[in-house]
Amino acid sequence: MAQHVKIFDTTLRDGEQSPGATMNVAEKVRIAEQLEKLNVDIIEAGFPISSEGDFEAVRAIAKAIKRSEVAALARVNPKDVDRAWEAVKGAKFPRLHIFVSTSDIHLKHQLKKSKQEVIRIAAQSVARARRYTPNVEFSAMDATRSDVGFLIAVCEAAIRAGAVTVNIPDTVGYAIPSEFGELIRTIRQKVRGIEKVTLSVHCHNDLGLAVANSIAAIQNGARQVECTINGIGERAGNTSLEEVVMALRTRRDLFRFHTRLIPKHLMATSRLVSKITGMVIQPNKAIVGANAFAHESGIHQDGVLKEKLTYEIMTPESVGIPRSSIILGKLSGRHAFRERVIELGYRLSDADLERAFDRFKQLADKKRDIFDEDIESIVVEEILRMPHRFKLVYINVIAGNVTVPTATVQMEMDGKLIQEAGFGDGPVDATFKTIKKITRTKSKLLQFAINAITSGTEAQGEVTVKLEEKGHTVIGQGADTDVIVASAKAYINALNKMEFRKQKLLGM
Ligand code: KIV
Ligand code: ZN
């Protein structure tokens, strides 16, 4: 019989550590609800000691989630463990996740602690966590660059202290599959008590090997994989959830493992995470990229038309690729809109629904056919966005091949209306310069990109901007049928995220 591999999703914790991917509490709860719908076993909701915002997010997710376990991360000290428990204790199935570095490099340069001391504090912290809950996970950070004898000793100490999951992270994405598989086999053979606990892995993608390493680990005894939606995370990211899950499923002939995931929710989850974090999915990304199921060459198209199996190893429907059907229009009423919002998985209060419906009506005046993607963008922009310091009230831009591009912008800032005008090299430049003047902000524009949300010339343009200030990056998004308005919205969204980020850092 196929053995169960647990899926531990860390999109909301390690994923949020991607440069620019800041999320507010409402956005995190929405993603957590979608992860629960996807049926992940464990949702790592955050690192409560790191900021007030993280604490609140873990608490809110713990309250909202009823089927998946909810994990909170803590370092090996009493304050961290207590704070993590305070945040996660309301969950139906809470988990405390305790971690400490085990490599010589980290011990010498970062922790400045001896090996004996690390064993002692790891055991003490696991034991402290164990007093709160039997569901304690221990992680040996930078395990793949650690002395194996010491790694084994730390894992044994954690198990003796009560850990029921032992996680082996490839924190810097250094391992290669054969080597990582071998390490997992050694841990399984040599760590006393390992047979009583779940052996887990957590891989980073610095060499593009996170998914391959995770699969090698499963083949050698790991029964939990830590991963993120779209593979987002620190630097090159984490193991991509959708890739591991679909690899195990598509190659059932080879692997005798299964996950409890419901793959038809993968695409919606991927799009939601991308929309909320602003992290655009590369078109050739496996499983969820726009081209993942597109057949371009004549030979391939010919083959697929004759028999899908010729060039398709899984069906687009199995991962929930939407048939972008026309669903609503100008004449659709409140009831139809509400039904569609619910079908897309959003639960909105009456007041929020009314706001979203107003925006839908405005959009339907400009755009005849409203698709699911349009509704998602309305809900994410109008309802789930972080509390606004800066709001766009009015924008008028004059541009052309014989005028100096000029933008007039009115904004609400801290409750006050401010209007300014400015010039630029083009309409977007004029708009951004004017917004900068109004908000008196200093962020540097690192990236600017436009995509169409759906097909057709009347489609909404979706703009993504990346801003940087004092080493911190944020990503903002905005959608509108007018790309200049979409650009202004994206820029203001990024500025609001930067404000949120500054507050978060002050709370540390
Ligand atoms: O990469 C890592 O080692 C981590 C740990 C906190 C599990 O994210
Ligand atoms: Zn990590």
Coordinates of all heavy atoms in Angstrom, one line a residue, residues 319-406:
V319 N -5.0 19.8 -12.4 CA -4.4 20.8 -11.5 C -5.3 22.0 -11.4 O -4.9 23.1 -10.8 CB -2.9 21.1 -11.9 CG1 -2.0 19.9 -11.8 CG2 -2.8 21.8 -13.2
G320 N -6.4 21.9 -12.0 CA -7.4 23.0 -11.9 C -7.2 24.2 -12.8 O -7.5 25.4 -12.5
I321 N -6.6 24.0 -14.0 CA -6.4 25.1 -15.0 C -7.8 25.5 -15.4 O -8.6 24.7 -15.8 CB -5.7 24.6 -16.2 CG1 -4.3 24.0 -15.9 CG2 -5.6 25.7 -17.3 CD1 -3.2 25.0 -15.8
P322 N -8.2 26.8 -15.1 CA -9.5 27.3 -15.3 C -9.8 27.4 -16.8 O -9.0 27.8 -17.6 CB -9.6 28.6 -14.7 CG -8.2 29.1 -14.7 CD -7.3 27.9 -14.7
R323 N -11.0 27.1 -17.2 CA -11.5 27.4 -18.5 C -12.0 28.8 -18.4 O -13.0 29.1 -17.7 CB -12.7 26.5 -18.9 CG -12.2 25.1 -19.3 CD -13.4 24.1 -19.3 NE -13.8 23.8 -17.9 CZ -15.0 24.1 -17.4 NH1 -15.9 24.7 -18.2 NH2 -15.3 23.8 -16.2
S324 N -11.2 29.8 -18.9 CA -11.6 31.2 -18.7 C -12.9 31.5 -19.3 O -13.0 32.2 -20.4 CB -10.4 32.1 -19.2 OG -10.4 33.3 -18.5
S325 N -14.0 31.1 -18.7 CA -15.3 31.3 -19.3 C -15.9 32.7 -18.9 O -15.6 33.2 -17.8 CB -16.2 30.2 -18.8 OG -16.2 30.2 -17.4
I326 N -16.7 33.2 -19.7 CA -17.4 34.5 -19.4 C -18.3 34.2 -18.3 O -19.1 33.3 -18.4 CB -18.1 35.1 -20.6 CG1 -17.2 35.3 -21.7 CG2 -18.9 36.3 -20.2 CD1 -17.9 35.4 -23.1
I327 N -18.3 34.9 -17.2 CA -19.2 34.5 -16.2 C -20.2 35.7 -15.8 O -21.3 35.4 -15.6 CB -18.5 34.0 -14.9 CG1 -17.2 34.8 -14.7 CG2 -18.2 32.6 -15.1 CD1 -17.2 35.5 -13.4
L328 N -19.7 36.9 -15.8 CA -20.6 37.9 -15.4 C -20.5 39.1 -16.3 O -19.5 39.2 -17.0 CB -20.3 38.4 -13.9 CG -20.5 37.4 -12.8 CD1 -20.1 38.0 -11.5 CD2 -21.9 36.9 -12.7
G329 N -21.5 40.0 -16.3 CA -21.4 41.2 -17.1 C -22.2 42.3 -16.5 O -22.7 42.2 -15.3
K330 N -22.4 43.4 -17.2 CA -23.0 44.6 -16.8 C -24.4 44.3 -16.1 O -24.8 45.0 -15.2 CB -23.2 45.5 -18.0 CG -23.4 46.9 -17.8 CD -23.5 47.6 -19.2 CE -24.1 48.9 -19.2 NZ -23.3 50.0 -18.7
L331 N -25.1 43.3 -16.6 CA -26.5 43.1 -16.1 C -26.5 42.2 -15.0 O -27.6 42.0 -14.4 CB -27.4 42.6 -17.3 CG -27.5 43.6 -18.5 CD1 -28.3 43.0 -19.6 CD2 -28.1 44.9 -18.0
S332 N -25.4 41.6 -14.6 CA -25.4 40.7 -13.5 C -25.7 41.4 -12.2 O -25.2 42.5 -11.9 CB -24.1 40.0 -13.3 OG -23.7 39.4 -14.5
G333 N -26.5 40.8 -11.4 CA -26.9 41.4 -10.1 C -26.0 41.0 -8.9 O -25.1 40.2 -9.1
R334 N -26.4 41.6 -7.8 CA -25.7 41.3 -6.6 C -25.6 39.8 -6.2 O -24.6 39.3 -5.8 CB -26.4 42.1 -5.5 CG -25.6 42.6 -4.3 CD -26.5 43.4 -3.4 NE -26.2 44.8 -3.4 CZ -26.8 45.7 -4.1 NH1 -27.8 45.4 -4.9 NH2 -26.4 47.0 -4.1
H335 N -26.7 39.2 -6.4 CA -26.8 37.8 -6.0 C -25.8 36.9 -6.8 O -25.1 36.1 -6.3 CB -28.3 37.3 -6.2 CG -28.4 35.9 -5.8 ND1 -28.4 35.5 -4.5 CD2 -28.6 34.7 -6.5 CE1 -28.6 34.2 -4.4 NE2 -28.7 33.7 -5.6
A336 N -25.8 37.1 -8.2 CA -24.9 36.3 -9.0 C -23.5 36.6 -8.7 O -22.6 35.7 -8.6 CB -25.2 36.7 -10.5
F337 N -23.2 37.9 -8.4 CA -21.8 38.3 -8.0 C -21.4 37.6 -6.7 O -20.3 37.0 -6.6 CB -21.8 39.8 -7.9 CG -20.4 40.3 -7.4 CD1 -19.3 40.3 -8.3 CD2 -20.2 40.7 -6.1 CE1 -18.1 40.8 -7.9 CE2 -18.9 41.2 -5.7 CZ -17.9 41.2 -6.6
R338 N -22.3 37.6 -5.7 CA -22.1 37.0 -4.4 C -21.8 35.5 -4.6 O -20.8 35.0 -4.1 CB -23.3 37.2 -3.6 CG -23.1 36.8 -2.2 CD -24.2 37.3 -1.3 NE -24.1 36.6 0.0 CZ -24.6 35.4 0.3 NH1 -25.3 34.8 -0.6 NH2 -24.4 34.9 1.5
E339 N -22.6 34.8 -5.4 CA -22.5 33.4 -5.6 C -21.1 33.1 -6.2 O -20.4 32.1 -5.8 CB -23.5 32.9 -6.6 CG -24.9 32.8 -6.0 CD -25.0 31.9 -4.8 OE1 -24.7 30.7 -5.0 OE2 -25.3 32.4 -3.7
R340 N -20.7 33.9 -7.2 CA -19.4 33.7 -7.9 C -18.2 33.9 -6.9 O -17.3 33.1 -6.9 CB -19.3 34.6 -9.1 CG -18.2 34.2 -10.0 CD -18.5 32.8 -10.6 NE -17.3 32.1 -11.1 CZ -17.2 30.8 -11.2 NH1 -18.2 30.0 -11.0 NH2 -16.0 30.3 -11.6
V341 N -18.4 34.9 -6.1 CA -17.3 35.2 -5.1 C -17.2 34.0 -4.1 O -16.0 33.5 -3.9 CB -17.6 36.5 -4.3 CG1 -16.7 36.7 -3.1 CG2 -17.5 37.7 -5.2
I342 N -18.3 33.5 -3.7 CA -18.3 32.3 -2.8 C -17.7 31.1 -3.5 O -16.8 30.4 -3.0 CB -19.7 32.0 -2.2 CG1 -20.1 33.1 -1.3 CG2 -19.7 30.7 -1.5 CD1 -21.5 33.1 -0.9
E343 N -18.1 30.9 -4.8 CA -17.5 29.8 -5.5 C -16.0 29.9 -5.7 O -15.3 28.9 -5.7 CB -18.2 29.7 -6.9 CG -19.4 28.9 -7.0 CD -20.2 29.1 -8.3 OE1 -19.5 29.3 -9.3 OE2 -21.4 29.1 -8.2
L344 N -15.5 31.1 -5.8 CA -14.1 31.3 -5.9 C -13.3 31.1 -4.6 O -12.1 31.2 -4.5 CB -13.7 32.7 -6.5 CG -14.1 32.9 -8.0 CD1 -13.9 34.3 -8.4 CD2 -13.2 32.0 -8.8
G345 N -14.1 30.9 -3.5 CA -13.5 30.5 -2.2 C -13.4 31.7 -1.3 O -12.7 31.6 -0.2
Y346 N -14.0 32.9 -1.6 CA -13.8 34.0 -0.6 C -15.1 34.1 0.3 O -16.2 33.9 -0.2 CB -13.7 35.3 -1.4 CG -12.5 35.4 -2.3 CD1 -12.6 35.1 -3.6 CD2 -11.3 35.7 -1.7 CE1 -11.5 35.2 -4.4 CE2 -10.1 35.7 -2.5 CZ -10.2 35.5 -3.9 OH -9.1 35.5 -4.7
R347 N -14.8 34.4 1.5 CA -15.9 34.6 2.5 C -15.8 36.1 2.9 O -14.9 36.5 3.6 CB -15.7 33.7 3.7 CG -16.6 32.4 3.6 CD -16.2 31.5 4.7 NE -15.2 30.6 4.4 CZ -14.4 30.0 5.2 NH1 -14.5 30.2 6.5 NH2 -13.5 29.1 4.8
L348 N -16.8 36.9 2.4 CA -16.7 38.3 2.7 C -17.9 38.7 3.6 O -19.0 38.1 3.5 CB -16.8 39.1 1.4 CG -15.7 38.8 0.4 CD1 -15.9 39.8 -0.8 CD2 -14.3 38.9 0.9
S349 N -17.6 39.7 4.4 CA -18.7 40.3 5.2 C -19.7 41.0 4.3 O -19.3 41.3 3.1 CB -18.2 41.3 6.3 OG -17.7 42.4 5.6
D350 N -20.9 41.3 4.8 CA -21.9 42.0 3.9 C -21.3 43.4 3.4 O -21.4 43.7 2.2 CB -23.2 42.3 4.6 CG -23.9 41.0 4.8 OD1 -23.6 40.0 4.2 OD2 -24.9 40.9 5.6
A351 N -20.6 44.1 4.3 CA -20.1 45.4 4.0 C -19.0 45.2 2.9 O -18.9 46.0 1.9 CB -19.5 46.1 5.2
D352 N -18.1 44.2 3.1 CA -17.0 44.0 2.1 C -17.6 43.6 0.7 O -17.1 44.0 -0.3 CB -16.1 42.9 2.6 CG -15.2 43.5 3.7 OD1 -15.1 44.7 3.8 OD2 -14.5 42.7 4.4
L353 N -18.6 42.8 0.8 CA -19.3 42.3 -0.4 C -19.9 43.5 -1.2 O -19.7 43.6 -2.4 CB -20.3 41.3 -0.1 CG -20.7 40.5 -1.3 CD1 -19.7 39.4 -1.5 CD2 -22.1 39.9 -1.1
E354 N -20.4 44.4 -0.5 CA -21.0 45.6 -1.1 C -20.0 46.4 -1.8 O -20.1 46.9 -2.9 CB -21.8 46.4 0.0 CG -22.9 47.3 -0.4 CD -23.9 46.6 -1.3 OE1 -24.3 45.4 -1.1 OE2 -24.4 47.3 -2.3
R355 N -18.8 46.6 -1.1 CA -17.7 47.4 -1.7 C -17.2 46.7 -2.9 O -17.0 47.3 -4.0 CB -16.6 47.5 -0.7 CG -16.5 48.8 0.1 CD -15.6 48.7 1.2 NE -14.2 48.5 0.8 CZ -13.3 47.9 1.6 NH1 -13.7 47.4 2.8 NH2 -12.1 47.7 1.2
A356 N -17.1 45.4 -2.9 CA -16.6 44.6 -4.0 C -17.6 44.7 -5.2 O -17.2 44.9 -6.3 CB -16.3 43.2 -3.6
F357 N -18.9 44.7 -4.8 CA -19.9 44.7 -5.9 C -19.9 46.1 -6.6 O -20.0 46.2 -7.8 CB -21.3 44.5 -5.2 CG -22.4 44.4 -6.2 CD1 -22.4 43.4 -7.2 CD2 -23.4 45.4 -6.2 CE1 -23.4 43.4 -8.2 CE2 -24.4 45.4 -7.2 CZ -24.4 44.4 -8.1
D358 N -19.7 47.2 -5.8 CA -19.6 48.5 -6.4 C -18.5 48.6 -7.4 O -18.6 49.1 -8.5 CB -19.3 49.6 -5.3 CG -20.5 49.9 -4.5 OD1 -21.6 49.5 -5.0 OD2 -20.4 50.6 -3.5
R359 N -17.3 48.0 -7.0 CA -16.1 48.0 -7.9 C -16.4 47.2 -9.2 O -16.0 47.5 -10.3 CB -15.0 47.5 -7.1 CG -13.7 47.3 -7.9 CD -12.9 48.6 -8.0 NE -11.7 48.3 -8.8 CZ -11.7 48.4 -10.1 NH1 -12.7 48.9 -10.8 NH2 -10.6 48.1 -10.8
F360 N -17.1 46.1 -8.9 CA -17.5 45.2 -10.1 C -18.4 45.9 -11.1 O -18.2 45.9 -12.3 CB -18.2 43.9 -9.5 CG -19.1 43.2 -10.5 CD1 -18.5 42.5 -11.5 CD2 -20.5 43.4 -10.5 CE1 -19.3 41.8 -12.5 CE2 -21.3 42.7 -11.4 CZ -20.7 42.0 -12.4
K361 N -19.3 46.7 -10.5 CA -20.2 47.5 -11.4 C -19.4 48.5 -12.2 O -19.7 48.7 -13.4 CB -21.3 48.2 -10.6 CG -22.4 47.3 -10.2 CD -23.2 46.9 -11.5 CE -24.4 46.1 -11.2 NZ -25.0 45.5 -12.4
Q362 N -18.5 49.2 -11.5 CA -17.6 50.2 -12.3 C -16.9 49.5 -13.4 O -16.8 50.0 -14.5 CB -16.6 50.8 -11.3 CG -17.2 51.8 -10.3 CD -16.2 52.1 -9.2 OE1 -15.0 51.9 -9.4 NE2 -16.7 52.7 -8.1
L363 N -16.3 48.3 -13.1 CA -15.5 47.6 -14.1 C -16.4 47.1 -15.2 O -16.0 47.2 -16.4 CB -14.8 46.4 -13.4 CG -13.9 45.6 -14.3 CD1 -12.7 46.4 -14.8 CD2 -13.3 44.4 -13.6
A364 N -17.6 46.6 -14.9 CA -18.5 46.1 -15.9 C -19.0 47.3 -16.8 O -19.4 47.0 -18.0 CB -19.7 45.4 -15.3
D365 N -18.9 48.5 -16.4 CA -19.3 49.6 -17.2 C -18.2 49.8 -18.3 O -18.5 50.3 -19.4 CB -19.3 50.9 -16.4 CG -20.7 51.1 -15.8 OD1 -21.7 50.5 -16.3 OD2 -20.9 51.9 -14.9
K366 N -17.0 49.4 -18.0 CA -15.9 49.6 -18.9 C -15.6 48.4 -19.8 O -15.0 48.5 -20.8 CB -14.6 50.0 -18.2 CG -14.7 51.3 -17.5 CD -13.3 51.6 -16.9 CE -13.3 52.6 -15.8 NZ -12.2 52.5 -14.9
K367 N -15.9 47.2 -19.2 CA -15.4 46.0 -19.8 C -16.6 45.1 -19.9 O -17.3 44.8 -18.8 CB -14.4 45.4 -18.8 CG -13.7 44.2 -19.2 CD -12.6 43.8 -18.2 CE -11.7 42.7 -18.7 NZ -12.4 41.4 -18.6
R368 N -17.0 44.6 -21.1 CA -18.2 43.9 -21.2 C -18.3 42.5 -20.5 O -19.2 42.2 -19.7 CB -18.4 43.6 -22.7 CG -19.9 43.4 -23.1 CD -20.0 43.1 -24.5 NE -19.0 42.0 -24.8 CZ -19.0 41.3 -25.9 NH1 -19.9 41.5 -26.8 NH2 -18.1 40.3 -26.1
D369 N -17.2 41.7 -20.6 CA -17.2 40.4 -20.0 C -16.3 40.4 -18.7 O -15.1 40.7 -18.8 CB -16.7 39.4 -21.0 CG -17.5 39.4 -22.2 OD1 -18.8 39.6 -22.1 OD2 -17.0 39.2 -23.3
I370 N -16.8 39.9 -17.6 CA -16.0 39.9 -16.4 C -15.7 38.4 -16.1 O -16.6 37.6 -16.0 CB -16.8 40.5 -15.2 CG1 -17.3 41.9 -15.5 CG2 -15.9 40.5 -14.0 CD1 -16.3 43.0 -15.6
F371 N -14.4 38.1 -16.1 CA -13.9 36.7 -15.8 C -13.6 36.5 -14.4 O -13.4 37.5 -13.6 CB -12.6 36.5 -16.7 CG -12.9 36.6 -18.2 CD1 -12.8 37.8 -18.8 CD2 -13.1 35.5 -18.9 CE1 -13.0 37.9 -20.2 CE2 -13.3 35.6 -20.3 CZ -13.3 36.8 -20.9
D372 N -13.3 35.3 -14.0 CA -12.9 34.9 -12.6 C -11.7 35.7 -12.2 O -11.6 36.2 -11.1 CB -12.6 33.4 -12.5 CG -13.8 32.6 -12.5 OD1 -14.9 33.1 -12.5 OD2 -13.7 31.3 -12.6
E373 N -10.7 35.9 -13.1 CA -9.5 36.6 -12.8 C -9.8 38.0 -12.4 O -9.1 38.6 -11.6 CB -8.5 36.6 -14.0 CG -8.0 35.2 -14.3 CD -8.8 34.4 -15.3 OE1 -10.1 34.6 -15.3 OE2 -8.3 33.5 -16.0
D374 N -10.8 38.6 -13.1 CA -11.2 40.0 -12.8 C -11.8 40.1 -11.4 O -11.5 41.0 -10.6 CB -12.2 40.6 -13.8 CG -11.6 40.7 -15.2 OD1 -10.5 41.2 -15.3 OD2 -12.3 40.2 -16.1
I375 N -12.6 39.1 -11.0 CA -13.2 39.1 -9.7 C -12.2 38.9 -8.6 O -12.2 39.6 -7.6 CB -14.3 38.0 -9.6 CG1 -15.4 38.4 -10.6 CG2 -14.9 37.9 -8.2 CD1 -16.6 37.4 -10.6
E376 N -11.2 38.0 -8.9 CA -10.1 37.8 -7.9 C -9.4 39.1 -7.7 O -9.1 39.5 -6.6 CB -9.2 36.8 -8.4 CG -9.6 35.4 -8.1 CD -8.8 34.3 -8.8 OE1 -8.0 34.7 -9.7 OE2 -8.9 33.1 -8.5
S377 N -9.1 39.8 -8.8 CA -8.3 41.0 -8.6 C -9.1 42.1 -7.9 O -8.6 42.8 -7.0 CB -7.8 41.5 -10.0 OG -8.3 42.6 -10.4
I378 N -10.4 42.1 -8.1 CA -11.3 43.1 -7.3 C -11.2 42.7 -5.8 O -10.9 43.6 -4.9 CB -12.8 43.0 -7.7 CG1 -12.9 43.6 -9.1 CG2 -13.7 43.7 -6.7 CD1 -14.3 43.6 -9.7
V379 N -11.4 41.5 -5.5 CA -11.4 41.1 -4.1 C -10.1 41.3 -3.4 O -10.0 41.9 -2.3 CB -11.9 39.6 -3.9 CG1 -11.8 39.2 -2.5 CG2 -13.3 39.4 -4.4
V380 N -9.0 41.0 -4.1 CA -7.7 41.1 -3.5 C -7.4 42.6 -3.3 O -6.9 43.1 -2.3 CB -6.6 40.4 -4.3 CG1 -5.2 40.8 -3.8 CG2 -6.8 38.9 -4.2
E381 N -7.7 43.4 -4.3 CA -7.4 44.9 -4.3 C -8.3 45.6 -3.3 O -7.8 46.5 -2.6 CB -7.4 45.5 -5.7 CG -6.2 45.2 -6.5 CD -6.2 46.2 -7.7 OE1 -6.9 47.1 -7.8 OE2 -5.3 45.9 -8.5
E382 N -9.5 45.4 -3.4 CA -10.5 46.2 -2.6 C -10.7 45.7 -1.2 O -10.9 46.5 -0.3 CB -11.9 46.2 -3.3 CG -11.9 46.8 -4.7 CD -11.6 48.3 -4.7 OE1 -12.1 49.0 -3.9 OE2 -10.8 48.7 -5.6
I383 N -10.5 44.4 -1.0 CA -10.9 43.9 0.4 C -9.7 43.5 1.2 O -9.6 43.8 2.4 CB -11.9 42.8 0.3 CG1 -13.0 43.1 -0.7 CG2 -12.5 42.4 1.6 CD1 -13.9 44.3 -0.3
L384 N -8.8 42.7 0.6 CA -7.7 42.1 1.4 C -6.5 43.0 1.5 O -5.6 42.6 2.2 CB -7.3 40.8 0.7 CG -8.4 39.7 0.6 CD1 -7.9 38.5 -0.1 CD2 -8.9 39.3 2.0
R385 N -6.4 44.1 0.8 CA -5.3 44.9 0.9 C -5.0 45.4 2.3 O -5.9 45.6 3.1 CB -5.4 46.2 0.0 CG -5.2 45.8 -1.5 CD -3.8 46.0 -1.8 NE -3.4 45.2 -2.9 CZ -3.3 45.7 -4.2 NH1 -3.7 46.9 -4.5 NH2 -2.9 44.9 -5.2
M386 N -3.7 45.6 2.6 CA -3.3 46.1 3.9 C -3.9 47.5 4.2 O -4.2 48.2 3.3 CB -1.8 46.1 4.1 CG -1.0 46.5 3.0 SD 0.7 46.0 3.2 CE 0.7 44.3 3.4
P387 N -4.0 47.9 5.5 CA -4.6 49.2 5.8 C -3.8 50.3 5.0 O -2.6 50.3 5.0 CB -4.4 49.3 7.3 CG -4.1 47.9 7.8 CD -3.6 47.1 6.7
H388 N -4.6 51.1 4.4 CA -4.0 52.1 3.5 C -3.6 53.4 4.3 O -4.4 54.0 5.0 CB -5.0 52.6 2.5 CG -5.3 51.5 1.5 ND1 -6.3 51.6 0.5 CD2 -4.8 50.3 1.3 CE1 -6.4 50.5 -0.2 NE2 -5.5 49.7 0.3
R389 N -2.3 53.8 4.1 CA -2.0 55.2 4.5 C -2.2 56.1 3.3 O -2.7 57.2 3.5 CB -0.5 55.2 4.9 CG -0.1 56.6 5.3 CD 1.2 56.7 6.0 NE 1.4 58.1 6.3 CZ 2.5 58.7 6.1 NH1 3.6 58.1 5.7 NH2 2.6 60.0 6.4
F390 N -1.9 55.6 2.1 CA -2.0 56.4 0.9 C -3.1 55.8 0.0 O -3.2 54.6 -0.2 CB -0.7 56.3 0.1 CG 0.5 56.7 0.9 CD1 1.6 55.8 0.9 CD2 0.7 57.9 1.5 CE1 2.7 56.0 1.6 CE2 1.8 58.2 2.2 CZ 2.9 57.2 2.3
K391 N -4.0 56.7 -0.4 CA -5.1 56.3 -1.3 C -5.2 57.1 -2.6 O -5.1 58.4 -2.5 CB -6.4 56.5 -0.6 CG -7.0 55.2 0.0 CD -8.4 55.5 0.4 CE -8.8 54.4 1.4 NZ -9.8 54.9 2.4
L392 N -5.4 56.5 -3.7 CA -5.6 57.3 -4.9 C -7.0 57.8 -5.0 O -8.0 57.0 -4.8 CB -5.3 56.4 -6.1 CG -5.5 57.0 -7.5 CD1 -4.4 58.1 -7.7 CD2 -5.4 56.0 -8.6
V393 N -7.2 59.1 -5.2 CA -8.6 59.6 -5.4 C -8.9 59.9 -6.8 O -9.9 59.6 -7.4 CB -8.7 60.9 -4.5 CG1 -10.1 61.5 -4.6 CG2 -8.4 60.6 -3.0
Y394 N -7.9 60.6 -7.5 CA -8.1 61.1 -8.8 C -6.8 61.1 -9.6 O -5.8 61.4 -9.1 CB -8.7 62.5 -8.7 CG -8.7 63.4 -9.9 CD1 -9.8 63.4 -10.8 CD2 -7.5 64.1 -10.2 CE1 -9.7 64.3 -11.9 CE2 -7.5 65.0 -11.3 CZ -8.6 65.0 -12.1 OH -8.6 65.8 -13.2
I395 N -6.9 60.7 -10.9 CA -5.7 60.8 -11.7 C -6.1 61.3 -13.1 O -7.0 60.7 -13.7 CB -4.8 59.5 -11.7 CG1 -3.6 59.7 -12.6 CG2 -5.6 58.3 -12.1 CD1 -2.6 58.6 -12.5
N396 N -5.3 62.2 -13.7 CA -5.5 62.6 -15.0 C -4.2 62.8 -15.7 O -3.3 63.5 -15.2 CB -6.3 64.0 -15.1 CG -6.6 64.4 -16.5 OD1 -6.9 63.5 -17.3 ND2 -6.5 65.6 -16.8
V397 N -4.0 62.1 -16.8 CA -2.6 62.1 -17.4 C -2.8 62.5 -18.9 O -3.7 62.1 -19.6 CB -2.0 60.7 -17.3 CG1 -0.6 60.7 -18.0 CG2 -1.8 60.3 -15.9
I398 N -1.9 63.5 -19.3 CA -1.9 63.9 -20.7 C -0.6 63.4 -21.3 O 0.5 63.6 -20.7 CB -2.0 65.4 -20.8 CG1 -3.2 65.9 -20.1 CG2 -2.0 65.9 -22.2 CD1 -3.2 67.4 -19.8
A399 N -0.7 62.7 -22.4 CA 0.5 62.2 -23.0 C 0.3 62.1 -24.5 O -0.9 62.2 -25.0 CB 0.8 60.8 -22.5
G400 N 1.3 61.9 -25.3 CA 1.2 61.8 -26.7 C 2.5 62.1 -27.4 O 3.5 62.3 -26.6
N401 N 2.6 62.1 -28.7 CA 3.9 62.3 -29.3 C 4.3 63.8 -29.5 O 5.4 64.1 -29.9 CB 4.0 61.5 -30.6 CG 3.0 62.0 -31.6 OD1 2.2 62.8 -31.3 ND2 3.2 61.6 -32.9
V402 N 3.4 64.7 -29.1 CA 3.7 66.1 -29.2 C 3.6 66.9 -27.9 O 3.7 68.1 -27.9 CB 2.9 66.9 -30.4 CG1 3.4 66.4 -31.7 CG2 1.4 66.6 -30.2
T403 N 3.2 66.2 -26.8 CA 3.1 67.0 -25.6 C 4.1 66.5 -24.5 O 4.6 65.3 -24.7 CB 1.7 66.8 -24.9 OG1 1.5 65.3 -24.9 CG2 0.6 67.4 -25.6
V404 N 4.4 67.3 -23.5 CA 5.2 66.8 -22.4 C 4.3 66.0 -21.5 O 3.2 66.6 -21.1 CB 5.8 68.0 -21.7 CG1 6.6 67.5 -20.5 CG2 6.6 68.9 -22.6
P405 N 4.6 64.8 -21.3 CA 3.7 64.0 -20.4 C 3.5 64.6 -19.0 O 4.4 64.9 -18.4 CB 4.4 62.6 -20.3 CG 5.3 62.6 -21.5 CD 5.7 64.0 -21.7
T406 N 2.2 64.8 -18.7 CA 1.9 65.5 -17.4 C 0.9 64.7 -16.6 O -0.1 64.3 -17.2 CB 1.3 66.9 -17.7 OG1 2.0 67.5 -18.7 CG2 1.2 67.8 -16.5

